[in-house]
Amino acid sequence: MDLNRIFTNQRTGKSVATEASRTDYQRDFDRIIFSAAFRRLQNKTQVFPLPGSVFVHNRLTHSLEVSSVGRSLGSAAGEFIFNNFGKELSPESQSFYQHNLQNVIAAACLCHDVGNPAFGHSGEDAIASYFEKNESGLKEKFSPKEWADLVNFEGNANAIRVLTHQQNGKDDGGTQLTHSTLASIAKYPCEAVAKDKASIHRKKFGFFQNEKDTFLRIAESVQMLQDADEPTAFRRHPFVWLVEAADDICYNIIDMEDAHRLGIVSTSDCENLFFELIKSENKSTGRVEDKLAALGNANERISYLRAKVINALINKSIALYESNFESILNGSLNRSLLDIYKDGNRSLQEIESFSREKIYNHKAVVEIENAGYNVMYELLDHFIPPILKTADKRKSYDKMALKLLPQQFLYENGTDYQKVLGVVDFVSGMTDNFATDIYRKIKGIEIGMTM
């Protein structure tokens, strides 16, 4: 890929570049911060849903932290590209890599989770399972590619829709971000029927059929390498690796810190795991040990170690990005940066293994995941059958159900696929609390006049 042609300030919709004190890529960051989709992340599950009085991370705080790490990675990567390929770069490109790559990565990290539904991965599973379990009555209404979108519902693909789709009564182009930022979140730049777990860029899928033309324009404008024409698939954009690394660093480490704050993981276990990773990257740990000796508060000790671990992983990720840069540019790298890191360092493997055993399978987490799955499934079952009926076939209860759908999600003149995507937009955009509240009301568990 030509480093002069893999970025652009072209936006979705009809928005045009303007003279301003902010660059177009800084404007991306600000647009995301003030968007409703980003704001709703404050009540969407990260790992521990609705944790009560103990504050731990939600999708919003996670995204802010990922963005902070991403900015550091983008800055270092931009410096590397400028220093090593500066003679091949145009003046505009030199300025971009020196000053704006970090803004692109920070903005992409900020919005990488906006397509995730309530209740984390169990919410994604519920949406996909709804269509799979009702195949006999639904599949015939959609084309094979449209059906593949629904039975494989994916938060990554939904993020592209959330950020680019024009809802009823709203502006063209969605949030109207630059194609550079949107390409940077496309971990799986292929359509659903092109999924292939053997390839890192096809393990899942990255855009719905409804947004396929939009994605093709994005891919063309940033010169993404096409992997296949039918079904459509592209190789990852080089910036994706930085966004992915920032996300991997944060959830691997911060989930452990949250579990410690909730009493699920002991202080000694957490300290030992973090310290071993620090020691594996820096044999001289005297300063770290001195700092720990001066800290008597357990949470403060873990926070200090967490910061040191994240810094170590940022440095290692950049080193791996640089050493694998040629294969990243030609699209042949088939592993994430942190997966490569784990080959030579078992410390992160041990943290992941410990997290799966002690955190992600903890009874409180599994109980909420089960409840969340049922909430999301039942909400879809309340809205999808009525929306697929023609107006003359709808009973009074169908009409009552559809009155709960906000106008921006109603596509009465659209295809069945577009109508269903409108419902999925509504349900997947809900926060954990709102989804639970609507579920309780439509099931008659809670009846009242609250507004």
Side-chain angles (χ1 to χ4, degrees):
M1 299 181 75
D2 183 347
L3 289 169
N4 291 294
R5 302 177 66 195
I6 65 173
F7 66 93
T8 177
N9 62 358
Q10 181 181 342
R11 297 183 178 279
T12 57
K14 299 173 183 177
S15 179
V16 294
T18 58
E19 293 294 329
S21 58
R22 300 170 297 158
T23 69
D24 287 304
Y25 309 107
Q26 289 170 324
R27 290 169 65 200
D28 278 359
F29 187 93
D30 296 342
R31 288 183 180 198
I32 297 161
I33 283 283
F34 287 97
S35 69
F38 181 74
R39 188 164 57 248
R40 287 194 296 268
L41 294 177
Q42 68 183 303
N43 187 230
K44 285 194 176 185
T45 299
Q46 178 58 17
V47 174
F48 305 102
L50 312 177
S53 59
V54 179
F55 181 77
V56 292
H57 289 83
N58 52 41
R59 289 277 177 186
L60 187 142
T61 51
H62 166 73
S63 297
L64 288 168
E65 290 169 342
V66 173
S67 183
S68 179
V69 171
R71 186 179 296 281
S72 297
L73 291 170
S75 177
E79 183 179 351
F80 162 74
I81 292 171
F82 175 77
N83 289 338
N84 288 271
F85 303 92
K87 293 180 180 179
E88 304 169 24
L89 302 177
S90 68
E92 179 190 3
S93 298
Q94 290 177 350
S95 177
F96 173 80
Y97 289 110
Q98 279 186 293
H99 307 298
N100 274 310
L101 177 56
Q102 59 185 300
N103 294 320
V104 170
I105 304 304
C109 288
L110 204 62
C111 64
H112 79 285
D113 268 353
V114 296
N116 287 59
F119 305 107
H121 292 301
S122 63
E124 283 182 306
D125 292 343
I127 295 172
S129 295
Y130 175 79
F131 294 101
E132 188 176 10
K133 291 180 179 180
N134 292 279
E135 178 179 340
S136 60
L138 292 177
K139 186 176 181 180
E140 63 188 25
K141 298 179 181 294
F142 309 99
S143 72
K145 288 188 175 183
E146 291 170 347
W147 183 247
D149 285 352
L150 300 174
V151 295
N152 295 286
F153 177 84
E154 167 59 41
N156 292 280
N158 198 42
I160 293 293
R161 178 171 171 83
V162 168
L163 295 168
T164 65
H165 175 65
Q166 181 182 14
Q167 295 179 337
N168 282 334
K170 298 197 175 184
D171 208 356
D172 181 33
T175 315
Q176 298 182 339
L177 302 180
T178 65
H179 290 182
S180 298
T181 294
L182 292 168
S184 299
I185 66 169
K187 289 173 66 175
Y188 313 106
C190 66
E191 55 189 339
V193 291
K195 282 176 56 179
D196 177 5
K197 290 188 177 182
S199 301
I200 191 170
H201 59 294
R202 293 198 191 191
K203 284 184 178 179
K204 300 178 183 178
F205 74 105
F207 53 88
F208 296 124
Q209 290 303 303
N210 201 75
E211 283 66 55
K212 182 174 179 177
D213 288 343
T214 298
F215 192 86
L216 290 175
R217 287 193 294 272
I218 293 169
E220 181 181 11
S221 70
V222 294
Q223 302 297 303
M224 290 174 65
L225 301 174
Q226 190 153 4
D227 189 36
D229 179 41
E230 184 55 49
T232 301
F234 293 88
R235 297 285 177 171
R236 284 178 162 189
H237 190 280
F239 300 165
V240 169
W241 305 92
L242 300 170
V243 176
E244 180 181 53
D247 187 27
D248 288 349
I249 288 169
C250 287
Y251 82 74
N252 271 289
I253 304 308
I254 294 172
D255 287 354
M256 181 74 71
E257 183 182 18
D258 282 350
H260 172 260
R261 284 186 177 270
L262 290 169
I264 293 172
V265 174
S266 71
T267 300
S268 60
D269 282 339
C270 195
E271 280 192 12
N272 290 337
L273 287 165
F274 283 178
F275 189 78
E276 285 302 312
L277 193 148
I278 295 168
K279 189 167 66 174
S280 70
E281 292 300 319
N282 184 1
K283 302 304 179 185
S284 177
T285 57
R287 291 179 62 184
V288 175
E289 293 177 57
D290 290 343
K291 181 72 172 180
L292 287 175
L295 296 174
N297 182 276
N299 287 339
E300 193 69 12
R301 290 166 63 88
I302 298 303
S303 293
Y304 170 71
L305 289 172
R306 177 257 302 151
K308 299 296 288 184
V309 168
I310 287 177
N311 183 64
L313 291 176
I314 287 173
N315 292 335
K316 193 64 181 181
S317 295
I318 282 298
L320 290 168
Y321 190 73
E322 294 175 2
S323 61
N324 289 279
F325 195 60
E326 183 178 347
S327 56
I328 286 172
L329 277 185
N330 65 34
S332 63
L333 187 62
N334 201 37
R335 305 183 68 194
S336 71
L337 298 179
L338 261 65
D339 275 346
I340 297 172
Y341 171 75
K342 285 182 288 188
D343 279 349
N345 189 312
R346 293 190 55 84
S347 299
L348 190 58
Q349 287 184 37
E350 291 172 3
I351 288 174
E352 285 189 348
S353 177
F354 188 92
S355 296
R356 281 194 298 270
E357 180 183 352
K358 301 292 185 180
I359 302 174
Y360 305 131
N361 288 311
H362 189 273
K363 182 181 178 183
V365 174
V366 174
E367 286 175 346
I368 295 292
E369 286 180 340
N370 275 274
Y373 176 95
N374 289 320
V375 166
M376 299 295 281
Y377 188 99
E378 292 296 330
L379 288 174
L380 290 175
D381 200 41
H382 189 73
F383 293 113
I384 286 180
I387 201 67
L388 287 173
K389 293 179 181 178
T390 57
D392 60 312
K393 297 291 185 181
R394 288 171 184 161
K395 305 296 184 183
S396 59
Y397 51 81
D398 294 321
K399 295 175 183 177
M400 285 192 293
L402 295 183
K403 285 180 181 179
L404 295 177
L405 272 178
Q407 282 298 311
Q408 67 261 35
F409 301 114
L410 279 169
Y411 302 98
E412 289 284 33
N413 295 322
T415 64
D416 286 342
Y417 174 67
Q418 291 168 332
K419 291 176 183 178
V420 166
L421 281 184
V423 172
V424 172
D425 288 344
F426 178 51
V427 174
S428 67
M430 292 179 179
T431 64
D432 291 17
N433 284 349
F434 184 69
T436 302
D437 184 54
I438 291 290
Y439 170 81
R440 290 172 64 85
K441 288 175 178 176
I442 65 175
K443 288 297 181 180
I445 298 170
E446 179 181 302
I447 301 175
M449 298 297 291
T450 55
M451 299 296 289

